[in-house]
């Protein structure tokens, strides 16, 4: 069988169960695809030997029967997840050479379910970015291409999105602090879900902004997202914010029936200067859900406008604290010191050499907003605004709205380097539709919904009620089927 | 409008323990000022009587028994250290 790397998780699982293919064959197909895709710079640490070893073990387990759904399926893991004995450096120079002695809870759950890790995926440094241009490994490149320009796969989970879109793996893990799963999914015609805050354990995932960070799957279909999310979810005593709630069978909830659901269209998301194509896609998405029997209503989320500035106070504040641990003492890079340098010079030189410019900026902004005299004016005010943003969502949910439909991004993928001279704030605007979801701790999913006039994918976002990923996936599945997005990037790499 | 002057930029870099060369301070100050100006919008919001969010999901922080649950992994803990000697992390002299 050819092109095994192009299968979805569900298709591959079914072929494995029927004995029509093997995990080793699937893994070899993906390793071959990765080998030929150096130009995408998606995989940055390859682990072929480990992958084949795990694939062999998965085949034995499958033969014995009763293997879990993910058993034998080859996937990529974002570089932000610690993986035992395999480089895990959050795409930062400061973690050069770091090989963890342990696995993150999420990667361990996938490993224990029999999933086969092919290697580690490119990303923005410490997940800070929306274009995968801040990585110490260099840019990841979008497999979608419509002219001479190399396009961004989005960020921060840019390597994950590029790898899934280019069929280098069947699926990948991502993380999302302000949109880092959903924006790259939209830019690459793939599906990405950020679950409710607390659904996936954060233990062993390099921390960026702990009150916002969540892991989630990046897949080719909504069904695959349901399968993989289930394997990644669950309570973990090692993360004090992990929810002790049962994990439903998400795939079983994809019934296709959304009759009677109420879908909200937030008027504040119709931002000034929104491209006509995005507005039209959004309207079409609403029509599709209406045609499937849902009731579509206009809603108001009045504090939407303040989400980005609140995020850019809270996330850097938390990052400045989380990244204090990179000091050249316990792991990673340490600067070469001059004669007479003491410990302060070691910290300052190590961090200046180890952190890239965007990470340095955010650590410094975070330090500033937490410093004496500014704490109340910035940090506390932002946390109060966050309360109001969450309240906006609670209000519409209490009024009977089941899910909210919005665009996923304000544009399709842009060219690598095109934002190089822009104000940092311009880049932050990429997160305008996604960041509210992190601030409110809600689940959100990006579903590919069409191509723009240039031939590049566009996504729509659905936002669900807390802990109701099952219903959200069900609605997303209906939207996916109605949109019928089947386009794939043509291979140039 | 908040304006980050050179002195503030120098101080923030120091507090962040990031070495910034004198020549790079003006550009840094400008970047930080732009970002802070973007945050000024928050001043428009009426937050009177609103509690600052501490936890996005209403939950009690779980507690566990105050006991040793792990240990005897000194070699693992030191395995990634840039400089480890005799079972310790080694750093430059802290006190003269």
């Amino acid at each position: 069988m050819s092109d095994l790397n192009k299968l979805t998780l569900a298709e591959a699982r079914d072929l494995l169960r029927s004995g029509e293919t093997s995990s080793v064959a699937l893994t070899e197909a993906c390793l071959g695809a990765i080998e030929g895709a150096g130009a995408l710079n998606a995989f940055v640490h390859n682990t072929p030997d480990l992958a084949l070893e795990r694939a062999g073990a998965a085949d034995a387990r499958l033969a014995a029967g009763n293997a879990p759904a993910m058993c034998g399926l080859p996937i990529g893991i974002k570089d932000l997840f610690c993986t035992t004995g395999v480089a895990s450096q959050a795409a930062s120079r400061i973690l050069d050479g770091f090989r963890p002695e342990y696995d993150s809870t999420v990667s361990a759950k996938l490993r224990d379910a029999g999933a086969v890790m092919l290697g580690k995926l490119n990303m923005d440094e410490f997940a800070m970015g929306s274009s995968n241009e801040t990585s110490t490994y260099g840019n990841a490149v979008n497999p979608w291409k419509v002219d001479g320009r190399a396009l961004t796969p989005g960020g921060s989970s840019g390597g994950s999105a590029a790898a899934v879109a280019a069929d280098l793996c069947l699926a990948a893990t991502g993380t999302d602090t302000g949109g880092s799963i959903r924006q790259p999914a939209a830019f690459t015609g793939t599906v990405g879900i950020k679950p409710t805050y607390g659904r996936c354990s954060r233990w062993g995932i390099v921390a960026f902004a702990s009150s916002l960070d969540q892991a989630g799957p990046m897949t080719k279909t909504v069904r695959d997202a349901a399968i993989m999310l289930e394997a990644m979810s669950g309570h973990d005593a090692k993360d004090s914010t992990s929810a002790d709630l049962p994990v439903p069978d998400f795939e079983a909830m994809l019934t296709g029936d959304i009759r009677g659901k109420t879908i909200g269209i937030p008027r504040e998301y119709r931002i000034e200067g929104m491209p006509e194509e995005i507005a039209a896609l959004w309207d079409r998405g609403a029509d599709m859900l209406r045609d499937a029997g849902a009731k579509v209503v206009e809603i108001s989320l009045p504090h939407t406008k303040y989400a980005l500035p609140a995020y850019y106070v809270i996330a850097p504040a938390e990052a400045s604290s989380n990244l204090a641990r990179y000091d050249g003492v316990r792991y990673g890079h340490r600067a070469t010191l001059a004669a007479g340098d003491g410990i302060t010079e070691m910290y300052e030189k190590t961090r200046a050499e180890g952190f890239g410019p965007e990470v340095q900026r955010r650590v410094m902004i975070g330090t500033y907003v937490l410093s004496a005299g500014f704490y109340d004016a910035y940090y506390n005010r932002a946390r109060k605004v966050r309360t109001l943003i969450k309240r906006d969502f609670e209000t519409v949910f209490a009024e009977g709205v089941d899910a909210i439909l919005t665009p996923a991004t304000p544009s399709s993928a842009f060219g690598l380097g095109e934002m190089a001279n822009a104000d940092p704030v311009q880049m932050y605007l990429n997160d305008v539709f996604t960041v509210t979801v992190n601030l409110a701790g809600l689940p959100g999913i990006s579903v590919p919904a069409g191509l723009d006039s240039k031939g590049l994918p566009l996504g729509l976002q659905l936002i669900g009620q807390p802990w109701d990923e099952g219903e959200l996936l069900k609605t997303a599945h209906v939207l996916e089927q109605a949109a019928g997005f089947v386009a794939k990037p043509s291979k140039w790499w | 409008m908040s304006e980050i002057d050179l002195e503030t930029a120098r101080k923030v870099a120091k507090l962040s323990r990031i070495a910034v060369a004198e020549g790079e301070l003006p550009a840094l100050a400008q970047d930080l000022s732009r970002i802070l100006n973007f945050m000024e919008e928050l001043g428009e919001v009426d937050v009177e009587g609103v509690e600052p969010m501490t936890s996005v999901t209403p939950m009690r922080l779980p507690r566990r028994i105050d006991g040793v649950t792990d240990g005897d992994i000194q070699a693992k803990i030191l395995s990634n250290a840039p400089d480890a000697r005799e079972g310790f992390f080694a750093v430059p002299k802290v006190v003269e």
Side-chain angles (χ1 to χ4, degrees):
Chain A
M1 194 177 299
S2 65
D3 292 346
L4 288 171
N5 53 308
K6 295 187 177 166
L7 296 174
T8 63
L9 292 175
E11 289 164 352
R13 172 196 60 186
D14 296 348
L15 291 175
L16 286 173
R17 287 187 173 167
S18 65
E20 286 165 80
T21 189
S22 68
S23 177
V24 168
L26 288 166
T27 301
E28 281 173 342
C30 290
L31 291 173
I34 294 168
E35 188 90 0
L40 300 177
N41 200 23
F43 275 90
V44 289
H45 298 289
N46 297 351
T47 54
D49 296 340
L50 183 66
L52 288 169
E53 186 190 310
R54 287 193 186 164
D59 281 331
R61 196 167 161 191
L62 283 156
N66 276 329
M70 290 299 292
C71 188
L73 302 178
I75 58 170
I77 302 285
K78 188 177 181 180
D79 200 36
L80 204 64
F81 293 76
C82 285
T83 46
T84 312
V86 177
S88 308
Q89 59 181 93
S92 180
R93 186 175 175 214
I94 209 157
L95 277 170
D96 246 350
F98 177 54
R99 282 182 164 63
E101 297 280 352
Y102 55 88
D103 255 77
S104 72
T105 297
V106 164
S107 57
K109 274 176 171 290
L110 289 166
R111 179 198 62 201
D112 295 346
V116 174
M117 178 176 76
L118 297 160
K120 303 299 283 288
L121 292 160
N122 207 346
M123 54 179 283
D124 279 295
E125 184 180 6
F126 284 107
M128 297 179 191
S130 306
S131 63
N132 211 120
E133 292 175 291
T134 69
S135 166
T136 189
Y137 310 118
N139 303 337
V141 182
N142 196 328
W144 288 86
K145 195 177 177 115
V146 287
D147 48 34
R149 296 175 308 151
L151 301 175
T152 175
S156 68
S157 309
S160 302
V164 173
D167 294 315
L168 310 186
C169 49
L170 305 196
T173 61
T175 62
D176 190 315
T177 303
S180 282
I181 286 176
R182 290 158 288 154
Q183 182 253 22
F187 277 9
T188 55
T190 56
V191 174
I193 181 168
K194 181 202 89 74
T196 313
Y197 182 80
R199 183 61 94 180
C200 290
S201 168
R202 291 179 294 108
W203 193 82
I205 301 172
V206 174
F208 162 13
S210 305
S211 79
L212 301 158
D213 297 343
Q214 264 294 290
M218 304 188 64
T219 58
K220 298 174 191 180
T221 65
V222 173
R223 180 173 300 280
D224 284 5
I227 294 168
M228 188 162 163
L229 179 61
E230 191 181 330
M232 294 169 69
S233 299
H235 179 244
D236 178 13
K238 288 187 284 197
D239 172 1
S240 64
T241 61
S242 161
D244 196 358
L245 292 173
V247 179
D249 179 345
F250 293 128
E251 190 185 8
M253 296 180 77
L254 307 180
T255 59
D257 185 3
I258 60 159
R259 283 174 300 173
K261 274 191 189 292
T262 301
I263 308 295
I265 307 289
R267 72 171 72 99
E268 291 81 5
Y269 281 57
R270 217 166 274 281
I271 51 170
E272 209 184 299
M274 177 186 277
E276 184 46 43
E277 290 185 287
I278 303 272
L281 181 83
W282 191 12
D283 292 343
R284 278 206 301 283
D287 288 342
M288 290 173 202
L289 295 174
R290 196 181 288 113
D291 291 346
K295 188 170 123 194
V296 177
V297 296
E298 190 181 80
I299 58 168
S300 174
L301 300 167
H303 295 90
T304 298
K305 168 178 177 204
Y306 303 106
L308 263 186
Y311 175 84
Y312 277 97
V313 174
I314 292 167
E318 295 186 22
S320 71
S321 165
N322 273 325
L323 271 57
R325 72 190 69 179
Y326 305 102
D327 54 9
V329 175
R330 286 156 296 169
Y331 27 64
H333 178 73
R334 178 187 290 188
T336 308
L337 301 181
D341 277 354
I343 197 157
T344 303
E345 289 78 16
M346 181 191 76
Y347 294 151
E348 292 180 345
K349 289 184 178 179
T350 296
R351 291 162 66 81
E353 288 176 13
F355 293 144
E358 180 62 20
V359 172
Q360 291 193 18
R361 255 198 301 273
R362 294 205 201 182
V363 167
M364 287 193 256
I365 280 287
T367 302
Y368 180 81
V369 299
L370 291 176
S371 63
F374 301 103
Y375 188 91
D376 266 322
Y378 291 104
Y379 184 61
N380 263 346
R381 176 165 280 268
R383 289 196 303 141
K384 288 176 184 174
V385 172
R386 186 175 180 189
T387 299
L388 293 172
I389 288 166
K390 185 173 181 234
R391 200 176 287 171
D392 285 352
F393 283 103
E394 286 167 346
T395 304
V396 297
F397 289 144
E399 285 165 358
V401 168
D402 295 291
I404 296 163
L405 180 74
T406 78
T409 56
S411 72
S412 60
F414 49 89
L416 288 163
E418 280 173 17
M419 302 277 274
N421 297 316
D423 184 317
V425 172
Q426 282 304 313
M427 190 64 103
Y428 299 168
L429 293 175
N430 264 287
D431 299 331
V432 65
F433 300 129
T434 48
V435 76
T436 50
V437 175
N438 301 76
L439 289 169
L442 301 171
I445 185 167
S446 173
V447 178
L451 295 174
D452 70 1
S453 57
K454 290 174 282 193
L456 291 172
L458 293 171
L460 287 172
Q461 171 178 246
L462 280 161
I463 303 167
Q465 299 199 12
W467 313 116
D468 218 355
E469 290 88 353
E471 291 298 323
L472 178 66
L473 286 158
K474 181 195 286 185
T475 308
H477 182 239
V478 167
L479 182 65
E480 175 190 48
Q481 299 301 309
F485 183 91
V486 289
K488 294 287 279 182
S490 25
K491 192 169 182 306
W492 54 266
W493 58 92
Chain B
M1 288 292 261
S2 30
E3 202 59 58
I4 302 264
D5 57 22
L6 288 188
E7 190 44 50
T8 309
R10 195 179 290 118
K11 187 178 154 211
V12 169
K14 187 74 193 171
L15 284 172
S16 308
R17 296 290 182 270
I18 297 175
V20 178
E22 273 303 304
E24 291 167 24
L25 283 174
L28 175 67
Q30 197 184 15
D31 269 352
L32 298 184
S33 298
R34 278 198 195 133
I35 298 170
L36 281 175
N37 280 327
F38 173 59
M39 296 170 180
E40 295 299 317
E41 264 185 75
L42 294 177
E44 297 169 13
V45 187
D46 178 7
V47 293
E48 192 58 40
V50 177
E51 280 297 308
M53 187 184 284
T54 46
S55 172
V56 74
T57 33
M59 65 184 293
R60 262 173 65 92
L61 208 57
R63 295 177 181 183
R64 64 166 174 81
I65 296 162
D66 182 16
V68 177
T69 57
D70 206 348
D72 292 326
I73 50 170
Q74 188 189 55
K76 281 187 169 188
I77 286 173
L78 293 173
S79 68
N80 278 291
D83 191 1
R85 296 177 211 171
E86 298 165 40
F88 293 94
F89 294 108
V91 295
K93 213 189 267 186
V94 180
V95 190
E96 284 302 323

